[in-house]
Amino acid sequence: MKTDCHNCPLRKLDLFDPMSKDEVHFMSKFKTGEFVAQPGTEILAEGASSSQLYTALDGMGLRFKTLENGSRQVVGFILPGDFIGLQSGVMGEMQHSVEATTRMTMCVFNRSELWDLFKYQPRRAFDLTHVAATEEYLLGEALAAVGQMDGYAKISWVLNRFFRRLTALGLNENDQVPLPYRQQDIADAMGLSLVHTNKTLAKLREDGVATWANDTLTVHRPKMLAENAFERGTRLRTRPLI
Amino acid sequence: MKTDCHNCPLRKLDLFDPMSKDEVHFMSKFKTGEFVAQPGTEILAEGASSSQLYTALDGMGLRFKTLENGSRQVVGFILPGDFIGLQSGVMGEMQHSVEATTRMTMCVFNRSELWDLFKYQPRRAFDLTHVAATEEYLLGEALAAVGQMDGYAKISWVLNRFFRRLTALGLNENDQVPLPYRQQDIADAMGLSLVHTNKTLAKLREDGVATWANDTLTVHRPKMLAENAFERGTRLRTRPLI
DNA sequence: CGGCGCCTTGAAAAGAATCAAGTCTCGTGG
DNA sequence: CCACGAGACTTGATTCTTTTCAAGGCGCCG
């Protein structure tokens, strides 16, 4: 195991709630190892029951559902610190698939030990519920964007969200953040066609708002981007790290 | 308090997981009273931190977010058995508003006692997390429908969902279920305009699939409705009742 | 009886999907 | 070293779904 929980690089970020010594100790016992997924690998499959749960430590991925009619809905983007497998852990099986976009490193936990967490670490159990509620919140925001905004606002919304999340993770350098996804991924997330997504990105570029090229997103006018996305003045919301 | 947890009418349904004697006892202490909301009343407001949490006992309501541009996204429909206020309980404030559509009766819990649940009832805490994960699952399904389906499929999807949920609650009589919402609510849930929603409902009626009138949904061809909605052969999924 | 809320319907306008090429980059193999 | 091909990105033209606009109808309550 390369990364010991005691010097977890993620926990140091302001984005995540601090953890007590005891909690860190519990987590380091709870963590059974590390797992590296290569780009394009499926980490969890929709409908599958996994005996492992993960926390993304490094790299990026995405969550998606495949419909009967063949289309794909991206239900979330996985960035470092995100917990993977909650549904499998508490409901028995995943309701969406998870795939690695870049090379990903993940902390591995045994599902069978999840019960210990509830039994002996109520504080951590509460945090896990917090994580679940946060997921629900994020999905609600996404639903509102997909359901109510037009194309220009949708793309602004998703880029703004990436910009803010990645900035909180300390990955912002001169208003540039890494964004290794494909346009098709963003299209499938926002319920737009690839062509329309592409044209909308071009418009945002022409408008001098943001440029996304070479796996890098550059935001020239952060305020304008946030306005386009109807962002409310939301302060940084800290959350627990599992 | 009118309804004692010991003879809770909801718990008897197959839809909900059984509860141990001890758990029922804990819940009846956890429940501090009952609350009746009149139609149109706001039960919880987005951004507000409530000191009370609820479980819908009777009646129907809806969850929604209001965007800066004035539009409204319905993020969920509340039916008997649904837990209300999870986000407020664990994250400190609600991320969407909750409103009563019909007259609603709710079990009331004190947020301050939620911690006891985690500390002394790990099994119930697990169930609460299960509820949170279920919410996430339902939102994911809705996101896929709103993002990937066309109007006809979206309306089929939401009607089919109501039909199945209400049937599981024992409210199906001769393929008729109560549906006291307005067309605007369904439109705001599926990201369609009121006009288009209305025309699509007319089409489903003409096609002999389903008729929705007088707060009652009649499904003439359940199989066809399910097919239109791209429903996968999902068996009834039981869930915990809080 | 009047007004308000909700449902219904037709016509016009707009936004987004689809169709159809064409370009660029990068890794592979001749 | 260069031709080749796959995958991703661009762009224009056309089609069609969905929205917007506009108006009328129905039922219920004061």
Side-chain angles (χ1 to χ4, degrees):
Chain A
M1 193 189 304
K2 290 156 210 156
T3 310
D4 182 351
C5 293
H6 294 282
N7 20 298
C8 173
L10 290 174
R11 218 182 55 245
K12 293 170 188 158
L13 296 168
D14 290 338
L15 174 62
F16 300 105
D17 295 334
M19 226 182 266
S20 74
K21 272 233 167 75
D22 185 46
E23 284 169 349
V24 175
H25 184 67
F26 176 84
M27 290 312 290
S28 71
K29 272 201 314 180
F30 188 38
K31 176 173 174 178
T32 61
E34 265 175 36
F35 171 56
V36 174
Q38 295 304 321
T41 311
E42 184 161 84
I43 296 166
L44 290 175
E46 182 168 359
S49 166
S50 166
S51 54
Q52 260 101 44
L53 310 172
Y54 311 95
T55 291
L57 197 56
D58 190 55
M60 304 188 193
L62 43 81
R63 308 176 192 268
F64 65 93
K65 296 174 78 78
T66 307
L67 279 75
E68 292 290 296
N69 65 7
S71 63
R72 180 182 78 147
Q73 174 68 41
V74 169
V75 293
F77 296 93
I78 296 176
L79 304 188
D82 287 359
F83 190 71
I84 303 169
L86 179 76
Q87 291 178 343
S88 176
V90 300
M91 295 172 63
E93 65 179 54
M94 290 299 287
Q95 302 299 334
H96 58 253
S97 302
V98 176
E99 185 181 293
T101 297
T102 65
R103 184 174 182 279
M104 289 183 73
T105 308
M106 287 166 291
C107 307
V108 182
F109 313 105
N110 276 329
R111 185 186 160 196
S112 54
E113 292 170 37
L114 188 62
W115 178 241
D116 285 351
L117 190 145
F118 278 89
K119 214 164 176 184
Y120 305 118
Q121 293 281 331
R123 173 71 218 174
R124 292 267 73 199
F126 190 89
D127 286 346
L128 188 68
T129 309
H130 190 148
V131 165
T134 303
E135 286 296 321
E136 186 200 343
Y137 154 61
L138 294 175
L139 274 174
E141 294 277 316
L143 183 59
V146 173
Q148 306 299 327
M149 296 179 183
D150 64 17
Y152 194 76
K154 283 186 190 181
I155 300 295
S156 298
W157 182 85
V158 72
L159 293 186
N160 185 55
R161 166 156 287 289
F162 272 123
F163 187 64
R164 300 213 34 174
R165 287 186 70 189
L166 290 163
T167 297
L169 285 168
L171 297 173
N172 180 331
E173 288 176 20
N174 288 102
D175 284 343
Q176 297 204 335
V177 292
L179 200 60
Y181 297 97
R182 292 170 303 146
Q183 294 187 356
Q184 184 72 63
D185 297 328
I186 269 62
D188 289 346
M190 303 314 295
L192 295 173
S193 71
L194 172 61
V195 173
H196 197 60
T197 300
N198 179 289
K199 287 175 179 171
T200 306
L201 284 167
K203 202 168 287 176
L204 277 166
R205 204 183 313 129
E206 287 161 22
D207 292 352
V209 177
T211 304
W212 176 26
N214 303 115
D215 293 349
T216 303
L217 171 68
T218 308
V219 180
H220 310 297
R221 304 235 178 86
K223 270 195 182 169
M224 195 176 288
L225 184 65
E227 273 173 34
N228 290 342
F230 299 108
E231 186 193 280
R232 302 174 242 226
T234 45
R235 71 198 166 293
L236 184 67
R237 176 176 288 283
T238 71
R239 57 190 178 85
L241 180 69
I242 305 293
Chain B
M1 194 189 306
K2 291 154 209 158
T3 309
D4 183 351
C5 293
H6 294 280
N7 18 301
C8 173
L10 290 174
R11 218 183 53 246
K12 293 170 188 158
L13 296 169
D14 290 337
L15 174 62
F16 300 106
D17 295 334
M19 226 182 267
S20 74
K21 272 234 166 77
D22 185 45
E23 284 170 348
V24 175
H25 184 68
F26 176 84
M27 290 313 289
S28 72
K29 273 202 314 179
F30 187 38
K31 176 173 175 178
T32 61
E34 264 176 38
F35 171 57
V36 174
Q38 295 305 321
T41 312
E42 184 162 83
I43 296 165
L44 290 175
E46 182 169 0
S49 166
S50 167
S51 54
Q52 260 102 45
L53 310 173
Y54 310 95
T55 291
L57 197 56
D58 190 55
M60 305 188 192
L62 42 80
R63 307 175 191 269
F64 65 93
K65 295 172 78 78
T66 308
L67 279 76
E68 292 290 296
N69 64 9
S71 62
R72 179 182 79 148
Q73 174 68 42
V74 169
V75 294
F77 296 94
I78 295 176
L79 304 188
D82 287 359
F83 190 73
I84 303 169
L86 179 76
Q87 291 178 343
S88 176
V90 300
M91 295 173 62
E93 64 179 55
M94 290 300 286
Q95 301 299 333
H96 58 253
S97 302
V98 177
E99 186 181 292
T101 298
T102 66
R103 186 174 180 278
M104 289 182 73
T105 309
M106 288 166 290
C107 307
V108 182
F109 312 106
N110 276 329
R111 187 188 157 194
S112 53
E113 291 170 38
L114 188 62
W115 178 240
D116 285 351
L117 190 145
F118 278 90
K119 214 165 178 182
Y120 305 119
Q121 295 280 331
R123 173 72 219 174
R124 292 266 74 197
F126 191 91
D127 286 346
L128 188 68
T129 309
H130 189 147
V131 165
T134 302
E135 285 295 321
E136 186 200 344
Y137 154 61
L138 293 175
L139 273 174
E141 294 279 314
L143 183 58
V146 173
Q148 306 299 327
M149 295 179 184
D150 63 18
Y152 194 75
K154 283 185 190 181
I155 300 295
S156 298
W157 182 86
V158 73
L159 294 186
N160 184 55
R161 165 156 288 289
F162 273 123
F163 188 63
R164 299 210 38 175
R165 287 186 70 188
L166 290 164
T167 298
L169 285 168
L171 298 173
N172 181 330
E173 287 176 21
N174 289 100
D175 284 343
Q176 297 204 334
V177 292
L179 200 60
Y181 297 97
R182 292 170 302 146
Q183 294 188 356
Q184 184 71 65
D185 297 329
I186 269 62
D188 288 347
M190 304 314 294
L192 294 173
S193 71
L194 171 61
V195 173
H196 196 58
T197 299
N198 180 288
K199 288 176 179 170
T200 306
L201 283 167
K203 202 168 287 173
L204 277 166
R205 205 183 313 131
E206 288 160 21
D207 291 352
V209 178
T211 304
W212 176 28
N214 302 115
D215 293 348
T216 304
L217 171 67
T218 308
V219 179
H220 311 297
R221 304 235 179 87
K223 271 194 184 170
M224 194 176 288
L225 185 63
E227 273 173 33
N228 290 342
F230 300 107
E231 187 192 279
R232 302 173 241 229
T234 44
R235 72 199 166 293
L236 186 66
R237 177 177 286 284
T238 71
R239 57 190 178 82
L241 180 69
I242 304 292

